[in-house]
Amino acid sequence: MSTNSNTPLNFLEEIIEADLASGKHKTILTRFPPEPNGYLHIGHATSICLNFGLGLKYGGATNLRFDDTNPVTEDTEYVESIIEDVRWLGFEPANILYASDYFEQLYEWAKVLIQKGKAYVDFSTAEEIAAMKGTPTMPGQNSPYRDTTPEENMALFEKMRAGEFPDGHCTLRAKIDMASSNMIMRDPLLYRIKHAHHHRTGDKWCIYPMYDWAHGQSDSIEKITHSICTLEFAPHRELYDWCIEQLGIFPSKQYEFARRNVSYAITSKRKLKLLVEEGHVRSWDDPRMPTISGFRRRGYTPASIREFCDRIGLGKREMVADMSLLEFCIREDLNKIALRRFAVLDPLKVVITNYPEGQTEALETENNPEDPNAGNRPLTFGRELWIEQDDFMENPPPKYFRLSPGGMVRLKSAYIIQCHDVVKDANGHITEIHCTYVPESRSGQDTSGLKPKGVIHWLAASNAQKAEVRLYDRLFQVEDPASEEDFLATLNPHNLQVIENALIEPALADAKLGERFQFTRLGYFCVDPDAQPGKPVFNRTVTLKDAWAKEQQK
Ligand code: ATP
Ligand code: MG
């Protein structure tokens, strides 16, 4: 949320400040109006931060309103997830409202239009209506039903509501101007017949308002002062203003901003739904999904997503924000708050041959060097340890600073060790390595004078615990999957790696849902809801460095 008084105002803030200064509005009311036909994605997050952010900044308020006018695609599961996501992002709606609660009022207003001769029931088929619509350079044709009398239209519309016609038999259309240069003003549809069960109104209605008829009037009913939407609705503004004028109701005013998309992600509920339905991901909140619930499960913090939305800002031109920026925001946040822990994802056994058998030793290390109040935690050192397979190389290239035969490395917060033997199985695979430790090199009390360049993390075999660790990569291989003919073909086949037998330090074994950690040298991790007592499961939120960006530069 940009509260910094030095940052220049964006165009909406300028409008709002002018409206407040001129007394046009005493206070402002914005709204976030999702259609409950899927889970919210990162594009919606930008709209939520914008609407709620403006409400907060100017001491106004923001409604959450479900634009639930399409019974076929909507579901209470989506309603519930949307409320949860908005709250999780840190915003509390002033009211949680539903366009379906306005169905009766919208119906009454449709009758007002009919009485004024501004709406008519049309029995033309969808094809005929399309054919009569004209083109942007050619005016359309009037429907043969356009001049039906208001009395007759009223009777027909009541029959529509009473269920006397089958689906698609007729529609209610506004009577505006079939020659308008704005195609949306060419007698737009207001109502269609759909004998379908609605998740809130049940079977009460068999006619449903079109989005265009419901949306503007819903804003007006709620007395939304600044109705903010994405650019594709700019041509609809003329229609919303026309309806408000015809009905003489509260004049909400619409302002448009450009959609925010994010690279390597899809920001369309319809396409995200396909990923879930076809099993390319496990669920809407799969940590690979660019949904708000996916980012939550992945370990993103609400603050990091708000910061991202703030940094990409607001504009009138479509833009694709870089996924790396979102990753930067979460790293910044987690660096400050995540407790440091040791985990070994691909274990290699190390035996310290000069350390007494059966003996262990208590060491200490910091919980978070960025936070002096985070304190220390105990580590156990012993004769048998685990390190990462790739922290050892039998034939290292020059400038390899980790462990190799004859080489030395520091075990973080413990001792310097030197490798003297490599043990292999019958197939030549390394099964363990033998090292000696330097007793006078203990971290914090090092008198050895040795300065190995590499520092690696490790675990004591005596108390390391097992855990499942899930590593994620970009969901898609291309920057703009939505522009591909078949976006599913661009899925990254390596977007998930499950490590069933990773090892973790004992302090992690009973980590709770919602806790976030930095696994030293490996990245930031959080507990997945699949975790159970005695069976910890961790998700990697993000790596420590932008490995992807580096890869791209090669
Ligand atoms: P989708 O294709 O995902 O269904 P939508 O715009 O149809 O997108 P709605 O539920 O109608 O989804 O959106 C609710 C609000 O979120 C609208 O005001 C819409 O303008 C805004 N919104 C949706 N996608 C984006 C985006 N990528 N960037 C900014 N705002 C968005
Ligand atoms: Mg929509």
Side-chain angles (χ1 to χ4, degrees):
M1 281 163 270
S2 81
T3 42
N4 186 342
S5 54
N6 294 328
T7 44
L9 297 181
N10 65 45
F11 74 94
L12 288 173
E13 290 168 335
E14 276 175 11
I15 290 167
I16 290 172
E17 294 200 1
D19 287 350
L20 290 171
S22 73
K24 180 176 174 192
H25 298 296
K26 282 198 181 60
T27 179
I28 67 158
L29 182 61
T30 57
R31 87 286 176 265
F32 173 65
E35 188 186 347
N37 60 351
Y39 282 57
L40 297 180
H41 51 63
I42 187 73
H44 294 117
T46 64
S47 177
I48 294 170
C49 290
L50 174 64
N51 281 295
F52 282 89
L54 289 171
L56 284 170
K57 180 169 179 179
Y58 293 104
T62 305
N63 287 346
L64 170 60
R65 181 181 69 243
F66 291 98
D67 268 337
D68 54 351
T69 54
N70 186 357
V72 184
T73 56
E74 295 160 6
D75 200 283
T76 32
E77 176 194 348
Y78 301 137
V79 169
E80 282 158 19
S81 76
I82 289 170
I83 295 173
E84 184 184 2
D85 287 353
V86 169
R87 289 202 168 124
W88 179 76
L89 274 178
F91 302 110
E92 188 55 43
N95 302 287
I96 297 179
L97 303 165
Y98 299 83
S100 54
D101 284 346
Y102 310 143
F103 281 177
E104 198 66 55
Q105 174 69 78
L106 293 169
Y107 176 75
E108 289 304 319
W109 278 338
K111 293 209 293 194
V112 171
L113 287 192
I114 293 173
Q115 264 158 358
K116 292 179 74 168
K118 296 289 182 182
Y120 60 97
V121 174
D122 195 334
F123 290 88
S124 309
T125 64
E127 293 73 30
E128 286 164 346
I129 289 178
M132 287 187 287
K133 185 113 198 191
T135 66
T137 49
M138 245 179 44
Q141 290 163 278
N142 286 351
S143 159
Y145 302 94
R146 205 173 194 258
D147 294 321
T148 313
T149 63
E151 293 68 34
E152 246 180 289
N153 278 319
M154 193 66 83
L156 290 169
F157 188 50
E158 278 164 5
K159 279 188 178 175
M160 280 173 70
R161 178 182 183 170
E164 292 186 25
F165 302 123
D167 283 8
H169 190 66
C170 54
T171 54
L172 185 75
R173 296 177 72 179
K175 186 171 171 179
I176 309 180
D177 177 8
M178 288 304 291
S180 172
S181 58
N182 181 353
M183 297 287 285
I184 288 171
M185 298 299 278
R186 295 187 184 176
D187 291 10
L189 302 194
L190 304 182
Y191 274 91
R192 67 222 144 132
I193 301 174
K194 219 173 229 187
H195 292 266
H197 187 85
H198 186 280
H199 67 107
R200 294 191 81 247
T201 58
D203 296 314
K204 184 169 177 206
W205 294 90
C206 63
I207 55 170
Y208 287 95
M210 301 299 290
Y211 181 85
D212 268 347
W213 174 243
H215 188 76
Q217 272 63 260
S218 299
D219 280 344
S220 182
I221 290 170
E222 293 173 19
K223 299 201 164 45
I224 302 298
T225 56
H226 298 80
S227 164
I228 300 160
C229 64
T230 39
L231 282 182
E232 70 271 22
F233 288 100
H236 299 245
R237 188 179 351 114
E238 194 181 346
L239 173 59
Y240 300 162
D241 290 348
W242 180 89
C243 293
I244 282 171
E245 199 189 312
Q246 294 301 322
L247 299 170
I249 55 179
F250 179 85
S252 288
K253 194 131 176 39
Q254 173 177 294
Y255 300 93
E256 303 91 19
F257 75 104
R259 274 177 184 267
R260 262 60 187 123
N261 298 318
V262 179
S263 61
Y264 300 98
I266 288 279
T267 44
S268 148
K269 280 180 260 158
R270 191 178 53 78
K271 287 183 175 156
L272 293 173
K273 191 161 183 237
L274 206 63
L275 290 176
V276 178
E277 283 173 352
E278 292 194 0
H280 301 287
V281 295
R282 283 175 44 183
S283 54
W284 281 96
D285 73 342
D286 187 303
R288 290 165 290 182
M289 287 282 270
T291 50
I292 295 177
S293 50
F295 283 116
R296 172 166 66 236
R297 185 162 179 178
R298 175 95 168 238
Y300 276 71
T301 58
S304 67
I305 295 178
R306 291 198 304 262
E307 173 70 17
F308 170 73
C309 295
D310 199 25
R311 279 173 183 257
I312 59 178
L314 182 70
K316 283 259 183 197
R317 266 212 217 143
E318 270 217 24
M319 63 100 78
V320 179
D322 200 330
M323 184 67 98
S324 303
L325 179 62
L326 185 54
E327 291 168 353
F328 169 82
C329 293
I330 185 63
R331 281 190 194 103
E332 283 241 307
D333 199 20
L334 291 178
N335 183 40
K336 286 178 272 169
I337 61 175
L339 297 179
R340 275 50 169 175
R341 294 288 182 259
F342 289 168
V344 174
L345 301 186
D346 190 11
L348 172 63
K349 173 74 72 70
V350 172
V351 179
I352 309 290
T353 53
N354 61 341
Y355 199 87
E357 254 175 89
Q359 187 176 314
T360 58
E361 174 179 350
L363 302 172
E364 247 194 3
T365 190
E366 310 159 292
N367 275 326
N368 183 357
E370 301 288 320
D371 177 4
N373 299 320
N376 291 336
R377 70 185 194 279
L379 289 177
T380 305
F381 191 75
R383 184 178 159 90
E384 294 199 355
L385 309 173
W386 297 107
I387 65 168
E388 298 285 351
Q389 292 271 1
D390 68 5
D391 279 337
F392 176 80
M393 275 185 95
E394 197 174 9
N395 299 299
K399 299 208 173 158
Y400 181 81
F401 296 126
R402 290 164 282 163
L403 207 53
S404 57
M408 270 189 188
V409 76
R410 171 170 291 283
L411 298 177
K412 175 142 176 65
S413 299
Y415 294 95
I416 293 169
I417 59 170
Q418 182 169 31
C419 170
H420 60 81
D421 262 318
V422 179
V423 182
K424 296 182 182 174
D425 65 14
N427 299 320
H429 292 135
I430 299 173
T431 54
E432 58 184 48
I433 59 172
H434 289 179
C435 299
T436 52
Y437 86 118
V438 181
E440 53 288 356
S441 68
R442 184 170 159 152
S443 286
Q445 314 164 8
D446 184 0
T447 56
S448 71
L450 299 168
K451 295 260 175 288
K453 284 209 169 122
V455 181
I456 63 173
H457 61 278
W458 56 280
L459 290 170
S462 62
N463 65 3
Q465 312 277 313
K466 274 200 181 143
E468 179 176 321
V469 173
R470 300 173 183 170
L471 306 180
Y472 303 97
D473 200 347
R474 302 266 147 104
L475 183 53
F476 293 98
Q477 288 171 304
V478 299
E479 224 174 287
D480 184 10
S483 71
E484 303 283 323
E485 204 170 311
D486 177 10
F487 79 104
L488 293 173
T490 69
L491 277 163
N492 175 4
H494 309 293
N495 59 32
L496 171 64
Q497 185 193 352
V498 179
I499 301 170
E500 310 253 2
N501 288 313
L503 295 171
I504 54 174
E505 57 173 90
L508 279 174
D510 48 23
K512 305 274 176 313
L513 194 62
E515 289 187 316
R516 299 179 169 90
F517 303 96
Q518 184 193 105
F519 290 0
T520 299
R521 297 176 65 225
L522 299 174
Y524 293 101
F525 291 78
C526 70
V527 178
D528 187 84
D530 285 345
Q532 279 164 22
K535 197 178 175 306
V537 181
F538 293 94
N539 292 319
R540 178 151 70 188
T541 308
V542 67
T543 55
L544 289 181
K545 292 204 193 83
D546 194 348
W548 179 270
K550 276 194 193 141
E551 191 66 27
Q552 301 298 83
Q553 283 161 8
K554 269 186 195 165

